[in-house]
Amino acid sequence: MTAQDSATPPNSIAVSGHTDTQVNGRRTASTNSTRGGTLLAALGVVAFSLTFPSTVWGLESFGPWSLVAVRSALAALIAGGFLLALRVPVPERRHWGGLAVVGGGVVVGFPLLTTLALETSTTSHAAVVVGLLPLTTAAFAAVRTGRRPSRAFWLAALSGAAVVIAFAVWQSGGALSAGDLYLFGALLVCAAGYTEGGRLAGMMPGWQVVGWALIGCLPLAVAGAAVALSFEPARLTAHGVIGLAWVAAGSTFFGLYVWYRGMASIGIARASQLQLAQPVLTLVWSVLLLGEHLTPAAPVAAVAVLVCIAVTQRTGT
């Protein structure tokens, strides 16, 4: 056996082993990234599920316009503190339009429209919006990014949306309220904001997307709060203060932060399907925090929704 013969096999084995290690390393990193992204998006859903009950509490102390304006201003101050402390540079001009869509849809539009709706609608009825939001977000994402989810994905998404809508409508007695126009308007603007925010979160950290969107809305929020509070004087209660604190720090800042990070990792369409669980969670919080009565149909709906979520997570997008 020559030296060349004896040297070649070890080198081949060494290279092959190195390649396998690289491939396995990439697979492990990809799996960990997907799991981490799913966990972050799920945390966002939990935070969002508390929004409607917290808003109801907040309305004990504030009018709808003043509540939304004050919550946006407080959330912007929190975000601004982080941006300033970490000396985060101002986003490039090409991102400003997208940030404006995020601010208009998620920071201002959705909170305002749902808060107005909750003056006449129960949290159960308002959950219709959340039930439709994943499907609408996936549709917006398909148009905006040019991606086309699979047929199985759409079938599972439509099935989950149908379950949630039927459950929410049945919970509210099947009656349509005057707040329905607000709710459907909120659905559209929020889906647009989620889609654009998810796209931007692939170019900058998710918390910066949220932070700069909030900062962009700060002048409007401060001016709106000054005007609204003059017409809707605050009557502070414990529930009102807690509700305001959560919708400002929990839903608007923390929730959006983990949500956009999750979307950047697992994709807009898949992350949006996790929100199918949000109406059920909201109904649970409504029982625990607001004393609303939950029907026996809730566990059935919860299982059906979770099955749809599992299918969408396993289906290629």
Side-chain angles (χ1 to χ4, degrees), residues 125-215:
H125 195 80
V128 172
V129 173
V130 182
L132 290 174
L133 189 55
L135 180 58
T136 309
T137 302
F140 267 81
V143 174
R144 184 67 178 86
T145 65
R147 295 179 180 177
R148 295 295 182 268
S150 67
R151 184 176 300 177
F153 178 92
W154 282 115
L155 180 60
L158 286 168
S159 299
V163 169
V164 172
I165 292 170
F167 177 64
V169 171
W170 187 82
Q171 278 288 104
S172 62
L176 297 177
S177 68
D180 284 327
L181 290 178
Y182 289 132
L183 294 173
F184 287 112
L187 168 69
L188 295 176
V189 298
C190 190
Y194 278 170
T195 300
E196 198 63 21
R199 185 186 69 82
L200 289 173
M203 305 176 190
M204 66 179 78
W207 75 272
Q208 292 183 23
V209 174
V210 178
W212 288 115
L214 286 166
I215 292 298

Side-chain angles (χ1 to χ4, degrees), residues 26-230:
R26 292 193 193 100
R27 288 176 179 171
T28 301
S30 177
T31 300
N32 290 338
S33 176
T34 299
R35 289 176 179 173
T38 301
L39 177 60
L40 288 172
L43 284 175
V45 170
V46 173
F48 296 152
S49 72
L50 282 160
T51 300
F52 286 171
S54 298
T55 299
V56 172
W57 275 10
L59 288 171
E60 292 183 12
S61 296
F62 301 89
W65 294 87
S66 57
L67 177 61
V68 173
V70 172
R71 75 179 266 186
S72 298
L74 290 178
L77 291 176
I78 295 172
F82 278 96
L83 292 170
L84 185 62
L86 297 176
R87 298 183 179 181
V88 177
V90 176
E92 298 176 24
R93 186 180 295 272
R94 62 192 177 96
H95 297 320
W96 290 4
L99 290 171
V101 174
V102 176
V106 178
V107 177
V108 177
F110 185 80
L112 178 60
L113 292 171
T114 54
T115 299
L116 291 172
L118 285 171
E119 285 201 298
T120 57
S121 300
T122 65
T123 54
S124 300
H125 195 80
V128 172
V129 173
V130 182
L132 290 174
L133 189 55
L135 180 58
T136 309
T137 302
F140 267 81
V143 174
R144 184 67 178 86
T145 65
R147 295 179 180 177
R148 295 295 182 268
S150 67
R151 184 176 300 177
F153 178 92
W154 282 115
L155 180 60
L158 286 168
S159 299
V163 169
V164 172
I165 292 170
F167 177 64
V169 171
W170 187 82
Q171 278 288 104
S172 62
L176 297 177
S177 68
D180 284 327
L181 290 178
Y182 289 132
L183 294 173
F184 287 112
L187 168 69
L188 295 176
V189 298
C190 190
Y194 278 170
T195 300
E196 198 63 21
R199 185 186 69 82
L200 289 173
M203 305 176 190
M204 66 179 78
W207 75 272
Q208 292 183 23
V209 174
V210 178
W212 288 115
L214 286 166
I215 292 298
C217 294
L218 182 58
L220 179 62
V222 171
V227 174
L229 286 172
S230 66

Side-chain angles (χ1 to χ4, degrees), residues 223-252:
V227 174
L229 286 172
S230 66
F231 288 95
E232 301 172 343
R235 297 178 294 275
L236 298 183
T237 65
H239 278 174
V241 172
I242 293 173
L244 171 63
W246 180 258
V247 293
S251 300
T252 306

